Amino acid sequence: VTWGAASADGQLRHARNFDFPGAGIWDRRPTVVLCEPDEGLRYGFVSTRGADVPGVTAFNEAGISITAHTRFHRDVNFDGVGIIDFGHELVRRCATLDDVRRVAAELGTASTWGMMVSSASEQRAMVIETTGSDVAFVSPSAGAEHLVTTNRYADPRLAVGEVDTSPSFVIDSNARFQRAHETVERHPGGLARTELQRVLADTGDPGAPD
């Protein structure tokens, strides 16, 4: 997510890639679902035909956008809220990032996720990190006008108990994070849509020259 000086025109942009096993199947029947609940905000989510999954990429009329990113952790449970309902409730009930913090802490989840949340009205973003027993919130570093997440825990408390599925998973996730994080430095004029698209497809080695 970029905004302010990190954005080419100062506007907030929330970009995400698609790196889970549905890629290649998911995009055969792309669907945007628009919801007008009896209570709460109107919202929508990007999906595939027949899949009720607002957590993947969701947005509402207040300018909140949410994208879910896999995490792996030992702390799971069978009593918490599933990620789909978690996504529904956040975009239905939240108009601000403070709302998101309150509702996310209230709900908790059964599983282990990182959810990038941006607010167009507040020109800011944060990441919700969950396990089956805890919720943490990751904010941009002081003075930063961008925020990145990939697939590993950033909150040091939740990083305890994180499961690394393989050494290559760790290297890949950390390298993607570093490359995306450093992109702002490589574009001092700010990033526009085309640059953000390139970031999402970037497979460069952070230690190698461009």
Side-chain angles (χ1 to χ4, degrees), residues 57-80:
T57 304
F59 51 89
N60 69 20
E61 62 179 323
I64 293 289
S65 295
I66 299 174
T67 54
H69 305 272
T70 303
R71 299 283 195 276
F72 297 105
H73 200 279
R74 292 185 176 90
D75 289 342
V76 298
N77 68 62
F78 294 96
D79 299 317

Side-chain angles (χ1 to χ4, degrees), residues 71 127 129 134-138 152-160 162:
R71 299 283 195 276
V127 176
E129 295 194 321
D134 206 350
V135 178
F137 304 98
V138 179
R152 304 194 74 221
Y153 284 97
D155 182 88
R157 189 179 77 254
L158 271 57
V160 178
E162 182 173 20

Side-chain angles (χ1 to χ4, degrees), residues 14 16 18 26 43-47 51-59 65-70 82-91 113-117:
H14 186 142
R16 66 92 37 84
F18 201 58
W26 190 272
Y43 65 93
F45 56 93
V46 180
S47 182
D52 173 28
V53 283
V56 174
T57 304
F59 51 89
S65 295
I66 299 174
T67 54
H69 305 272
T70 303
I83 187 61
I84 290 173
D85 290 331
F86 192 69
H88 270 299
E89 290 300 287
L90 290 177
V91 289
W113 295 90
M115 300 188 78
M116 177 70 83
V117 185

